[in-house]
Amino acid sequence: MNTEQNIPPPLVTTTRFLAVGSLLGLIVLGLAWELFLAPIRPGGSWLALKVLPLCIPLAGLLKNRMYTYRWVSLLVWVYFTEGAVRAYSDKVPGNYLAMMEVVLCLTLFVACALHVRLRLNAVHNKG
């Protein structure tokens, strides 16, 4: 039995770590933003609950489930849109946090899309 075939290529592993890292970054940023750094109301706001949908795919990404990578690449555009709107409408420091959100969303999308593509190519090249 050849165990080398079960080892993922380095780029697949890199995209997995990028996807998980950027998702965790979005969760931490969303909480810190709405509770401490630049909340809409002094003392924090209920808008921090916006990170709850991001917690759902975390288990799927950690378990390396292909389906999760696919739908996260669609979900992330909701957060990208929020970041783009707030980057133009919020005042400092909220607009900088929004720009960070946009960068994390783009990183998550590219990592998920590339991860799915690389894994599908690997399956098609084996068979």
Side-chain angles (χ1 to χ4, degrees), residues 29 33 86-87 90-101:
L29 175 68
W33 182 358
R86 291 185 72 179
D90 281 11
K91 294 180 173 120
V92 175
N95 63 336
Y96 293 124
L97 297 170
M99 289 180 216
M100 286 176 52
E101 182 178 35

Side-chain angles (χ1 to χ4, degrees), residues 20-127:
V20 171
S22 55
L23 181 65
L24 286 172
L26 278 171
I27 293 169
V28 170
L29 175 68
L31 287 173
W33 182 358
E34 301 302 342
L35 294 177
F36 311 112
L37 300 175
I40 291 178
R41 293 189 181 98
S45 78
W46 284 95
L47 197 54
L49 294 176
K50 71 181 179 186
V51 301
L52 285 178
L54 292 173
C55 296
I56 296 168
L58 189 57
L61 290 185
L62 291 173
K63 292 178 183 176
N64 209 19
R65 293 190 173 149
M66 179 79 86
Y67 183 74
T68 306
Y69 283 93
R70 288 178 173 171
W71 69 263
V72 166
S73 67
L74 299 174
L75 171 71
V76 71
W77 292 110
V78 173
Y79 294 90
F80 174 85
T81 304
E82 181 213 13
V85 168
R86 291 185 72 179
Y88 286 103
S89 63
D90 281 11
K91 294 180 173 120
V92 175
N95 63 336
Y96 293 124
L97 297 170
M99 289 180 216
M100 286 176 52
E101 182 178 35
V102 166
V103 169
L104 285 169
C105 287
L106 290 173
T107 304
L108 179 58
F109 174 77
V110 169
C112 286
L114 191 56
H115 185 87
V116 168
R117 183 178 195 128
L118 291 171
R119 283 181 59 188
L120 288 176
N121 283 343
V123 169
H124 291 300
N125 289 338
K126 283 184 182 179

